[in-house]
Amino acid sequence: MKICLICCAGMSTSAIVKKMQDAATEQSIDAEIWAVGEAQAKENVEKADVILLGPQIRFALSRIQALDPSKPVAAIDMMSYGKMDGKKILADAIALIK
């Protein structure tokens, strides 16, 4: 499973990526998780199974969805993002894929 997180510059989600990777390892889930800035969205949407947006760029949801309408795209829940709840965000990503 390939999960791409997109935020303004790809920096603020790096801690979330680590928490999600830890949760995936803990649950024996084979996942490749990475973060990029909105400027790199186009080339990364192609590689991902699911795309999650940082809450700060949720306004770009329809624009990111338009890059590949076959891919699930969602904004990360603000509460989960604020708590840096990697386990919950990973579960949300998995639910989008299924």
Side-chain angles (χ1 to χ4, degrees), residues 78-94:
M78 282 182 64
M79 184 74 77
S80 300
Y81 191 89
K83 290 177 165 180
M84 300 193 85
D85 188 345
K87 189 178 279 191
K88 168 81 166 70
I89 298 168
L90 177 65
D92 291 346
I94 292 168

Side-chain angles (χ1 to χ4, degrees), residues 1 13 16 18 28 42 52 54-55 62 66-67 69 79 82-83 90:
M1 155 181 357
T13 53
I16 298 284
K18 172 78 171 103
S28 300
K42 185 175 175 76
L52 299 178
S62 60
L67 294 174
M79 184 74 77
K83 290 177 165 180
L90 177 65

Side-chain angles (χ1 to χ4, degrees), residues 58-81:
R58 66 183 172 274
F59 64 86
L61 184 71
S62 60
R63 186 170 57 244
I64 302 297
Q65 283 176 321
L67 294 174
D68 185 343
S70 71
K71 302 277 174 91
V73 180
I76 298 170
D77 170 65
M78 282 182 64
M79 184 74 77
S80 300
Y81 191 89

Side-chain angles (χ1 to χ4, degrees), residues 1-6 13-27 29-36 44 47-52 76 86-87 89-91 93-94 97:
M1 155 181 357
K2 296 178 180 179
I3 305 169
C4 178
L5 280 64
I6 300 175
T13 53
S14 60
I16 298 284
V17 167
K18 172 78 171 103
K19 298 272 188 176
M20 290 176 70
Q21 288 172 330
D22 291 347
T25 300
E26 190 178 285
Q27 298 172 53
I29 296 170
D30 183 20
E32 180 182 341
I33 308 166
W34 71 97
V36 298
N44 283 278
K47 302 175 201 171
D49 296 318
V50 62
I51 298 93
L52 299 178
I76 298 170
K87 189 178 279 191
I89 298 168
L90 177 65
I94 292 168
I97 294 171

